[in-house]
Every structure is written in C-alpha cells, then in structure tokens.
Amino acid sequence: MARLTFKWFLLALGGSLILAVSPAAAAEADARQAAGECARCHVISVAEWGCSGHFPRGVDCPACHGASQGHVRDERNNVKPDHRPRGAAVADLCRPCHTEGCPREKKVAACQECHHVHALIDPRKPFAARDEGREQLAARWRRRAQWMEEGERHVRAQRWESARRAFQKAREEIPGDSAAAARIKMCERRLNPGLAGFEIAGASFDGPTGLPRAVRVVELGIPMLLVAGGELDLGAEDLANARPVHTVWVAPFYLARHEVTREEWGAVMGAGSGSPGKPGGGHGGRLPMDNVSWADAQAFVRQLNARIVGGGFRLPTEAEWECAARAGGESGEAFDLETPREVERGIPNRLGFFDLAGNVREWCSSLLAPYPYQAADGREAGDLPGLRVLRGGSFKDLSSWYSPGFRHGERPSRRMGLNGFRLARDADRVK
C-alpha cells in the first residue's frame, strides 16, 4: 500500500473530522482502544479504520492481519505482521462479507483499485463536501455519546440496571464499541457481584471493572486483592536479564495479599504434609511455606482447584507479579534476617500486598526466557523444559533482589528454604 500524503491523510480522516464537534474524541479514543497495541504505532491506519464501515461492524485489525503475536511481542525490533495483504490478495479478504462483489462495479476482484483497504473510500476521487453515509455514521456516534452519558449518570447514582440498558443502547448504535461493552460487563458484575469460590470482603468495588477489590477464598479465608492491570513497562535497564524495558498488557487479576502459609498448606494438602523437614501446619503456621519447589506449588494449586468451586487458582505470571509490585510502589521494608517471619507482620505496599520484597522468594508460572516477555509463558504446560521464574528476593538475599524488575530462575524440581509462593486467579474466570 502506497504511503499516504499528509493531504490525503486529512481527507481520509474526513469522517472523524466531522465528528470532532462532540463525539469525535470518543470515536477516536474508542478506535484506539479497540485497536489495542496496534494504535501505538499504526496511528494513521487506525484513524482510517476508525472512520470506516469496518469499525462499527466489529471488523478489527486481527481479522485482516492475523493475531501478529510476534509483531506485538517484538514491536521495537520492527517485526512485520503475520498477514499483510497486498494487491490481488486484498479481494480475498473482502469476499467473505461482500459476497456479491462491488455494488457499483459488480466486480469481485481488484478491490484495492477503488477502495482504500482501511477507510473503504476511493483515494483517486476528490473528497466530497457532503457524504450521506458519513453523516449517518456521525449521527450514530452522537446518539452513542448521548447513551453513554446517560449510562454514566445512572452509574453515579448506582442504578445498575438502568445503566446497563443505556450502555446496551450505545452499543446498538456502534456494535464494535469496546468501551460500551466494558461498561455493560461492569454493570452486570455490580448486579450480580458474587464470585464463585470467593467471599467478598468489604464494600469497595473497582469502578472500571465492577469487581470487588478485596475477597477471601471460601473455607480457607485466604485474602486476595484485585490488581486492575493495564499497560505495564516491564523490565529494568540496569539489570542484565531484565532488558529491554518494553510495554505489555496485563488483564485484571486477583493476587493473594500474602504468601501461602504453612497453615494454609496443611489445610489444602493434609495434616502433616509438606516438603522435607517442613510441617504443613502446627508450630509457626503463619510463617510462609518455604522449601517448596515449583512442582510442589503446582501440586498445591491442583488440590485447591479440586476443592474450591470455580477453580482457576494458579501461580502469577512474572508480568502480573511485577505489575502488582510496581503499581503498589515499595512493598514494605527490606529486611535481613536469618529466618522468614510471619506473614502480614511488615508494611504493606500501596495496594495492600505484604512481602513482595523479602521474606521468601516467590515462584511464578513463567519460564525464564530472554525479554521481550511472551504471554504464552508455559503456565498451562508444566512439562516444558527450562528454569521457572522466582521474584521478590528472600530474607537472606541482597537488596538488589528486592527490585521489582529482578528476575531469578531455578529448576522447577528444586526445593530451597528461601523459596515460597502466593496465589493468583483470573478476574474473568470468576465473574
């Protein structure tokens, strides 16, 4: 596709410019949100797509370009998309929806000769001062904005059913509207706040997601806190194996407020259970369960999921762990002791988590691999060879290990008195 001139760029944005009086900001913002990571680099292409018929019909970037996992993961290294249609290949993408071909030319090939592949307009023709289709789209965006405003008024009054209906009306105007879809999901969570396997602790809910901020695992009472997630700059330039710093997306998730204790280990694995030389409960039951391997932690997770309705408990990924550590600021005080201390005895970070720095190192689900980080980190395939990540440092480690970006790898079968773990669970898994 030939590079657009700046003049043509303004013409291609004609639909968005008409919207600029009131719904334009919402339209462009929603297009960027719907395009996700693509919008960070492919600004012009996303803008063209956002003012086309593709966007309101839910035809997004992966529909034509593929998932582009390597491209997103390695964006700073200029990796190309999985699928970049050119020339005659463009028509192959058009046919599944436009089965009868072009309504004007009656052609089923060479679509790119008349239509820009993102904006669906003819770049060779002068820009029309008035376009009925564009005006209709602008009217739909105005109505969408009105419904969204009404929905937010109901949210402020905590009228969740009325808010949901308003957001549904907004989405009917623009079916591809991800912002409206997110608000609908939030309302549904507030209407039905119960979470399988959790007891809600307190009355505080996250505004964007509608999820309770604090919960407890039923029967066991293990406290877990919501991490809202979002974009995270992962890594640290001053640490050799944490380079380069790069941006990843972390979905909302729950993370245990403290490390799994010996008492909790015994309650799940059975009285007297534990790693060699470490009792599952009894004396020191509030101490973190240490001397556990990654495989031991996975055995605990399996037992817990078999017991608790809804299941879904797991180890955090290293991106999730770092998200909680960075979003919460400093995780209490670093300390230098000869043995671990009882959980929740230090200073929590701003999110309420204890001992993300120190006490015991914490196993993550992720394989230790060079950055950039891969979301497909092996959490579902425990038999993948390689070292597993430990984060946070222990009571006997150097202060550099307490850095949120510090990564350490260990054999998944190795037990050490410095290693423990804490639980995580998907937020979407328990909605």
Side-chain angles (χ1 to χ4, degrees):
M1 177 174 60
R3 182 177 294 276
L4 300 177
T5 65
F6 183 72
K7 178 180 178 181
W8 165 239
F9 170 51
L10 293 178
L11 295 179
L13 284 178
S16 290
L17 294 177
I18 284 179
L19 299 176
V21 176
S22 58
E28 287 194 21
D30 198 67
R32 289 195 299 271
Q33 182 180 8
E37 292 174 318
C38 306
R40 293 209 300 268
C41 299
H42 304 284
V43 180
I44 294 178
S45 297
V46 168
E48 295 162 350
W49 164 75
C51 66
S52 76
H54 275 155
F55 175 46
R57 289 169 175 79
V59 180
D60 59 7
C61 305
C64 294
H65 294 290
S68 299
Q69 294 290 343
H71 182 61
V72 172
R73 177 179 65 84
D74 204 15
E75 60 189 15
R76 284 176 170 78
N77 292 334
N78 199 30
V79 177
K80 301 301 181 184
D82 295 341
H83 189 100
R84 194 174 184 183
R86 296 178 182 273
V90 171
D92 294 334
L93 299 175
C94 304
R95 290 192 191 100
C97 295
H98 303 280
T99 55
E100 297 181 2
C102 177
R104 185 176 65 248
E105 302 292 338
K106 307 301 179 186
K107 296 194 305 184
V108 294
C111 305
Q112 76 283 357
E113 292 182 1
C114 298
H115 297 278
H116 184 273
V117 293
H118 292 138
L120 303 184
I121 55 181
D122 189 343
R124 301 172 303 176
K125 292 184 177 181
F127 181 70
R130 181 178 180 183
D131 183 282
E132 182 178 351
R134 189 168 60 249
E135 291 175 358
Q136 291 175 354
L137 181 59
R140 289 169 58 190
W141 273 106
R142 284 192 291 270
R143 292 193 296 271
R144 176 264 188 194
Q146 292 168 355
W147 283 117
M148 291 294 286
E149 289 175 7
E150 179 174 329
E152 295 302 338
R153 285 197 299 271
H154 290 306
V155 167
R156 289 191 290 272
Q158 297 189 19
R159 296 190 292 264
W160 307 116
E161 183 57 49
S162 297
R164 178 172 65 172
R165 286 197 296 268
F167 293 134
Q168 287 172 336
K169 289 290 187 181
R171 196 180 187 194
E172 287 173 8
E173 295 292 346
I174 307 293
D177 185 359
S178 59
R183 298 309 274 165
I184 292 169
K185 181 181 288 187
M186 179 276 298
C187 291
E188 291 172 345
R189 284 169 169 158
R190 295 308 304 270
L191 286 165
N192 183 23
L195 303 174
F198 278 156
E199 299 170 348
I200 297 175
S204 180
F205 288 79
D206 179 60
T209 64
L211 289 162
R213 288 195 170 97
V215 296
R216 290 186 294 265
V217 180
V218 296
E219 301 180 35
L220 301 172
I222 300 173
M224 301 187 75
L225 303 175
L226 178 69
V227 181
E231 285 194 342
L232 166 70
D233 286 339
L234 189 69
E237 292 296 343
D238 60 337
L239 298 172
N241 73 343
R243 302 176 192 144
V245 174
H246 57 293
T247 304
V248 299
W249 172 261
V250 176
F253 67 101
Y254 284 98
L255 187 68
R257 193 167 69 194
H258 58 71
E259 296 147 340
V260 170
T261 66
R262 297 184 184 183
E263 181 180 29
E264 291 162 351
W265 177 276
V268 173
M269 303 300 284
S273 64
S275 299
K278 297 293 181 181
H283 179 69
R286 292 291 289 170
L287 290 170
M289 187 63 190
D290 58 354
N291 203 39
V292 289
S293 68
W294 185 87
D296 293 332
Q298 294 291 0
F300 178 91
V301 164
R302 287 192 296 272
Q303 287 283 91
L304 182 62
N305 286 335
R307 174 174 175 171
I308 302 299
V309 174
F313 294 95
R314 55 178 175 79
L315 297 179
T317 69
E318 63 170 328
E320 289 173 332
W321 191 98
E322 188 166 329
C323 181
R326 292 193 183 280
E330 293 299 321
S331 181
E333 79 281 19
F335 56 98
D336 185 10
L337 303 171
E338 291 301 317
T339 60
R341 67 180 175 195
E342 291 187 350
V343 299
E344 297 186 313
R345 290 290 299 273
I347 301 172
N349 71 6
R350 289 196 300 267
L351 293 182
F353 295 106
F354 288 85
D355 296 329
L356 284 173
N359 220 14
V360 291
R361 303 169 188 167
E362 299 179 11
W363 287 108
C364 294
S365 64
S366 306
L367 286 165
L368 183 65
Y371 278 165
Y373 171 76
Q374 298 183 54
D377 61 4
R379 78 177 81 160
E380 301 297 340
D383 58 345
L384 289 177
L387 303 180
R388 295 287 170 166
V389 171
L390 285 155
R391 291 295 199 114
S394 77
F395 57 94
K396 296 189 72 171
D397 287 322
L398 299 174
S399 59
S400 60
W401 285 54
Y402 297 151
S403 166
F406 189 86
R407 312 167 73 208
H408 176 65
E410 188 54 84
R411 298 191 305 274
S413 61
R414 187 178 185 186
R415 293 176 174 134
M416 292 184 64
L418 307 178
N419 298 345
F421 66 103
R422 74 176 70 212
L423 291 173
R425 198 185 196 195
D426 292 352
D428 283 340
R429 179 68 178 263
V430 293
K431 63 185 178 181

